Amino acid sequence: MSYKTLLVHIDDSRRSDTRIALSLELAQRWDAHLIGLYVVCQDLFRPIFRQDKTLSFAQIEAQEANRREKAENAFLAAAERAGRSAEWRAPPGPALDVAMLHARHADLLVLGQQDPNDPASFVAPHFVGDLVLGAGRPALVVPYAGEVRTLGENVLLAWDGSREAARAAADALPLLQRARHVGIEIVHAHGQAQSPDAPEGIDVAAWLETHGVRAAFSTTPHHVGIGAGATLLNRASDLHADLLVTGAYGHARARERVFGGVTRTMLESMTVPVLMAH
């Protein structure tokens, strides 16, 4: 099993080059085709457009075209240096709708956590979360801070027996099969007891082994006042994991999506790349 088509989200943020470099390295692993999807904020009232209030709409459009051309040249040049098959896409239309449509024709998405200190990283409210929950494709979300030295060598798989966790585990198989170490982590709610007859994690570990993945499993108590998401991030740090795999939780309500606590924590506070699937 492998990913044959990867899609990396490209914008004008400082972290865009990191995502491109990582996606090219992943494309090399699986001899995959890489799509660079350029989608940026279209709200003229956002700070990135208000740096010079004297600019006319025509001048703003000219600046946008210049940034788009610069991003395209940088992406295609990086792909050529890496010797990878790649294509550039910068389709018109509402940012989330466009991204959702193109994401559904890829095996894996490479996205970036929004950086509160970089206005260019803002595309739309809850852009990454909405894309993860709505695209039907696994997404590798890269933190806005820190260096990604390795990815997928030491993987921590969050497991709670849910549909979302099962989906994430299955979608992560190409990465898990190449990992040096895979750990399955179960976070228990406060006061919840584990059955001594059938330890949680043993079934998913057995399933993974049928796919050539040998995994250890452990249980971490969920302490009062510390959310499950924060507990998982702490465990990832303690174990020096370079990838966390977790289900993405949420549902639609009216015209917006409501994110589960773990998913919200990951999107806001991730310290390590997270592969999420819904």
Side-chain angles (χ1 to χ4, degrees):
M1 182 178 178
S2 65
Y3 307 119
K4 301 310 295 182
T5 303
L6 309 181
L7 183 146
V8 57
H9 171 231
I10 298 173
D11 55 22
D12 302 316
S13 69
R14 294 187 291 263
R15 202 65 168 167
S16 190
D17 288 345
T18 298
R19 294 197 299 275
I20 292 172
L22 179 59
S23 64
L24 285 168
E25 194 275 322
L26 294 175
Q28 181 72 36
R29 291 190 197 185
W30 294 291
D31 191 25
H33 178 65
L34 180 61
I35 298 168
L37 182 68
Y38 183 79
V39 177
V40 296
C41 178
Q42 299 170 1
D43 184 353
L44 296 180
F45 294 99
R46 294 297 299 182
I48 189 172
F49 295 111
R50 291 193 283 109
Q51 294 173 359
D52 187 345
K53 297 180 181 180
T54 65
L55 294 178
S56 66
F57 284 145
Q59 290 172 315
I60 291 175
E61 288 178 351
Q63 285 190 348
E64 288 180 319
N66 183 61
R67 287 194 294 265
R68 183 168 59 248
E69 182 180 5
K70 182 179 178 181
E72 178 180 6
N73 292 338
F75 169 70
L76 294 177
E80 184 176 3
R81 288 193 300 270
R84 301 311 314 158
S85 167
E87 65 177 289
W88 169 266
R89 296 180 186 175
L96 182 60
D97 293 345
V98 165
M100 199 82 74
L101 174 64
H102 289 264
R104 287 175 177 157
H105 301 92
D107 297 320
L108 177 68
L109 316 178
V110 181
L111 311 175
Q113 179 192 25
Q114 183 183 333
D115 182 352
N117 298 313
D118 184 1
S121 74
F122 177 89
V123 178
H126 313 300
F127 175 75
V128 172
D130 285 344
L131 196 53
V132 169
L133 293 185
R137 290 292 186 267
L140 176 64
V141 187
V142 182
Y144 68 77
E147 185 178 350
V148 183
R149 295 185 177 88
T150 63
L151 185 120
E153 291 188 4
N154 182 10
V155 183
L156 188 66
L157 169 64
W159 184 257
D160 62 1
S162 66
R163 175 182 65 83
E164 290 84 356
R167 181 72 268 163
D171 287 340
L173 274 176
L175 283 156
L176 299 177
Q177 288 168 338
R178 287 172 170 259
R180 294 183 179 180
H181 182 268
V182 176
I184 303 167
E185 192 69 28
I186 302 102
V187 177
H188 272 294
H190 180 68
Q192 180 182 355
Q194 179 176 346
S195 169
D197 298 325
E200 291 183 61
I202 194 168
D203 288 336
V204 69
W207 171 74
L208 286 172
E209 190 153 6
T210 66
H211 290 275
V213 179
R214 300 199 67 179
F217 60 91
S218 62
T219 301
T220 299
H222 178 188
H223 297 290
V224 175
I226 301 178
T231 300
L232 285 169
L233 289 174
N234 288 340
R235 285 292 289 163
S237 177
D238 292 342
L239 298 171
H240 305 289
D242 61 3
L243 176 65
L244 177 60
V245 176
T246 179
Y249 303 85
H251 62 275
R253 185 179 68 185
R255 293 187 175 183
E256 64 177 11
R257 292 190 181 272
V258 179
F259 302 109
V262 171
T263 303
R264 186 170 56 251
T265 298
M266 294 300 160
L267 293 174
E268 294 176 354
S269 306
M270 64 174 62
T271 53
V272 63
V274 180
L275 188 143
M276 311 178 78
H278 181 69

